[in-house]
Amino acid sequence: MTDNRKFEIVADAELPGTPERVWQAVTKDTAAWMFPTDQWPDVKTVEEYPTHLVSRMEGPNGWFNQLEHVLEPVEGGRAKLHYVHSGIFADNWDEQYDGASKHTEFYLHTLGQYLQYFDGQPVVFTDIQAPASSQTPDGFVQLKKALGVDGLAAGTPFEVDVDGVGRLSGEVDFSNENFLGLRTSDTMYRFFGRNAFGAPVGMTVHEFGGSGDSDLTAKAWGAFLENVYT
């Protein structure tokens, strides 16, 4: 049996970009701040550029996943976003809802970072998963300690040497018990403490400027994560 239950996650944010730029980011440039969605089989049920967008995917037994973006211009070239993510979770409803709602805050923050610092730049996206051994209660704390940023608050400058990766210097732009964001002059590193939601710790790398190599990035960070959780 499955426990099919509807969910709705609502968030509001003010973003450092016009509605036109935010529209571009959430439709074409998702690899720059979240993950590539260009192959998603979604249908745009509402497409009123640049103020109202609803994307929906449907499946068997009433399953659906829907994203709604409502955008309003704000003085100073900014935009107000009203975001609604709704759908059905098939199993482990509480855990999935908790994970999805907390991811929303982090993704929308990262969207703002992209618009403020890297808007329109070419990006190379890399997704790396830690081994299953990261699925322990302290798995994410282990990672922060290995990175040398444990205890650093958002807004704090950092400079660390990461084994096999090299020297990183920039700012901690997000940090809580489940997520960590590090931003350098040309890259955003996003770390996900999904051990709290029944999955391995993960990370994404968003390299701007056109010189990134996803295979090399995956190899270097994959080896680092393997060592952290050995």
Side-chain angles (χ1 to χ4, degrees), residues 14-27 48-53 69-81 111 115 119:
E14 187 171 309
L15 296 168
T18 63
E20 290 82 2
R21 295 310 303 159
V22 178
W23 184 287
Q24 173 73 19
V26 302
T27 56
E48 300 171 358
Y49 177 84
T51 59
H52 192 192
L53 177 68
H69 299 81
V70 179
L71 292 160
E72 297 179 29
V74 178
E75 187 176 352
R78 300 173 67 84
K80 184 183 295 184
L81 168 66
L111 171 59
L115 290 166
D119 186 21

Side-chain angles (χ1 to χ4, degrees), residues 1-220:
M1 293 181 62
T2 60
D3 181 21
N4 288 358
R5 292 169 58 191
K6 291 184 179 180
F7 72 90
E8 184 175 85
I9 298 165
V10 179
D12 292 282
E14 187 171 309
L15 296 168
T18 63
E20 290 82 2
R21 295 310 303 159
V22 178
W23 184 287
Q24 173 73 19
V26 302
T27 56
K28 303 295 185 182
D29 299 338
T30 57
W33 58 275
M34 187 173 61
F35 48 80
T37 60
D38 54 322
Q39 300 300 314
W40 277 17
D42 61 332
V43 174
K44 305 293 192 293
T45 59
V46 178
E47 196 167 8
E48 300 171 358
Y49 177 84
T51 59
H52 192 192
L53 177 68
V54 179
S55 304
R56 185 180 177 95
M57 291 186 289
E58 297 184 348
N61 303 315
W63 179 89
F64 74 95
N65 187 66
Q66 179 171 288
L67 302 178
E68 180 176 21
H69 299 81
V70 179
L71 292 160
E72 297 179 29
V74 178
E75 187 176 352
R78 300 173 67 84
K80 184 183 295 184
L81 168 66
H82 179 67
Y83 172 88
V84 182
H85 180 194
S86 56
I88 288 178
F89 288 135
D91 295 293
N92 302 318
W93 195 94
D94 290 336
E95 190 171 78
Q96 288 202 60
Y97 180 83
D98 186 42
S101 59
K102 290 177 179 176
H103 275 71
T104 294
E105 178 188 5
F106 189 41
Y107 280 135
L108 292 183
H109 165 81
T110 302
L111 171 59
Q113 293 287 291
Y114 164 65
L115 290 166
Q116 183 169 349
Y117 296 102
F118 306 108
D119 186 21
Q121 294 187 31
V123 64
V124 174
F125 170 84
T126 308
D127 181 272
I128 309 107
Q129 299 301 309
S133 54
S134 65
Q135 292 180 238
T136 59
D138 66 342
F140 200 52
V141 174
Q142 281 183 259
L143 176 61
K144 286 185 175 182
K145 289 181 176 178
L147 288 169
V149 298
D150 186 41
L152 296 185
T156 305
F158 75 91
E159 191 165 350
V160 298
D161 288 305
V162 181
D163 290 344
V165 175
R167 192 163 193 77
L168 303 182
S169 177
E171 182 178 291
V172 178
D173 64 83
F174 193 98
S175 183
N176 65 20
E177 62 182 347
N178 300 124
F179 304 99
L180 172 69
L182 303 179
R183 189 190 70 253
T184 69
S185 62
D186 60 5
T187 305
M188 290 197 297
Y189 300 93
R190 310 288 97 177
F191 301 90
F192 303 85
R194 295 188 176 118
N195 55 306
F197 313 119
V201 169
M203 66 175 292
T204 59
V205 180
H206 310 261
E207 298 176 86
F208 298 94
S211 61
D213 187 314
S214 186
D215 289 339
L216 291 178
T217 297
K219 183 177 180 180

